[in-house]
């Protein structure tokens, strides 16, 4: 059990299973892209741990970009509004791009990033997400590389936070009694 601020979280996905899932996702990405140059766009802050674990298993020439998007604003419910804190400076025209997300909930963030990157005239934009909440998903885009499909529970750990705490936990926890 883990206490973060006023909420209690219980163990949910163990570090061993996360590592197995991440290397499995990387194997699929390696198989699909081969030696094609890939631009990873990691959505901070939550995806920092997933991205760093994922990329160490990738074999193609890999560029890394970090972008800061906020949609939760410190609660356990999405607000539906997305803010981009800093523009991506890189020229992605004609490049193959992979969005790396910690979790896809409603899909608003991934949809927003996809559109943003397509406007930069990327040759292709695909989406990898460690966690996916299919019952909350309202997007129309396919999630190309989904890790764990989970119910609509609020989760923390492995990059994910509750009011900025819990990001350093190596396992994933879910809100108790949710
Ligand atoms: P959307 O709804 O845009 O949400 O797909 C994606 C972003 O919302 C955050 N998010 C969560 N953060 N536990 C968290 O700590 C959760 O269960 C959760 N669900 C969504 C996250 O920042 C993600 O990038
Ligand atoms: Mg958050």
């Amino acid at each position: 059990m883990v206490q973060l601020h006023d909420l209690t979280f219980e163990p949910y996905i163990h570090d061993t299973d996360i590592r197995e899932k991440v290397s499995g996702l990387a194997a699929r990405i390696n198989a699909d892209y081969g030696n094609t140059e890939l631009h990873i766009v990691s959505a901070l802050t939550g995806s920092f741990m997933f991205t760093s674990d994922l990329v160490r298993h990738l074999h193609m020439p890999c560029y890394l970009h970090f972008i800061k998007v906020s949609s939760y604003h410190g609660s356990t419910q999405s607000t539906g509004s997305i803010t981009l804190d800093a523009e991506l400076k890189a020229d992605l025209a004609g490049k193959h791009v992979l969005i790396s997300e910690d979790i896809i909930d409603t899909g608003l963030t991934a949809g927003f990033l996809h559109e943003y990157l397509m406007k930069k005239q990327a040759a292709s934009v695909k989406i990898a997400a460690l966690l996916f909440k299919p019952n909350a998903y309202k997007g129309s885009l396919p999630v190309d590389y989904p890790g764990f499909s989970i119910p609509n529970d609020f989760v923390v750990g492995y990059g994910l936070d509750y009011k900025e705490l819990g990001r350093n936990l190596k396992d994933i926890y879910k809100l108790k009694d949710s």
Side-chain angles (χ1 to χ4, degrees):
M1 232 51 94
V2 166
Q3 182 75 26
L4 302 172
H5 301 290
D6 54 324
L7 297 181
T8 309
F9 293 83
E10 58 189 15
Y12 189 36
I13 306 174
H14 194 267
D15 150 63
T16 324
D17 300 318
I18 298 172
R19 275 192 272 167
E20 195 181 301
K21 185 66 79 177
V22 173
S23 64
L25 285 175
R28 288 188 47 207
I29 296 166
N30 283 327
D32 289 353
Y33 288 88
N35 203 37
T36 306
E37 212 171 71
L38 187 58
H39 288 254
I40 309 277
V41 173
S42 177
L44 290 172
T45 303
S47 68
F48 81 96
M49 208 175 274
F50 171 55
T51 302
S52 70
D53 282 345
L54 182 74
V55 297
R56 71 188 82 195
H57 295 287
L58 296 180
H59 303 320
M60 71 287 288
C62 237
Y63 290 86
L64 270 169
H65 310 276
F66 292 91
I67 194 162
K68 182 95 174 87
V69 252
S70 323
S71 69
Y72 255 59
H73 305 297
S75 82
T76 59
Q77 292 268 302
S78 187
T79 59
S81 72
I82 293 162
T83 49
L84 186 64
D85 296 0
E87 287 285 320
L88 260 191
K89 294 268 160 44
D91 178 11
L92 294 175
K95 309 294 186 189
H96 294 282
V97 176
L98 180 66
I99 298 169
S100 172
E101 273 247 58
D102 47 354
I103 185 163
I104 294 186
D105 190 306
T106 62
L108 278 171
T109 309
F112 173 89
L113 280 179
H114 192 278
E115 198 183 316
Y116 176 74
L117 295 163
M118 288 307 285
K119 272 191 204 139
K120 287 186 166 287
Q121 293 174 331
S124 70
V125 181
K126 287 193 179 185
I127 304 170
L130 179 68
L131 297 153
F132 178 43
K133 295 181 180 172
N135 299 332
Y137 192 62
K138 297 193 192 94
S140 49
L141 298 165
V143 178
D144 305 280
Y145 304 101
F148 300 99
S149 288
I150 63 167
N152 290 349
D153 295 322
F154 185 72
V155 295
V156 295
Y158 196 74
L160 293 148
D161 72 302
Y162 169 55
K163 293 184 181 170
E164 298 304 326
L165 286 182
R167 295 195 194 277
N168 59 308
L169 299 166
K170 68 177 163 58
D171 305 309
I172 292 171
Y173 294 76
K174 69 171 178 178
L175 187 57
K176 198 168 174 287
D177 300 323
S178 68

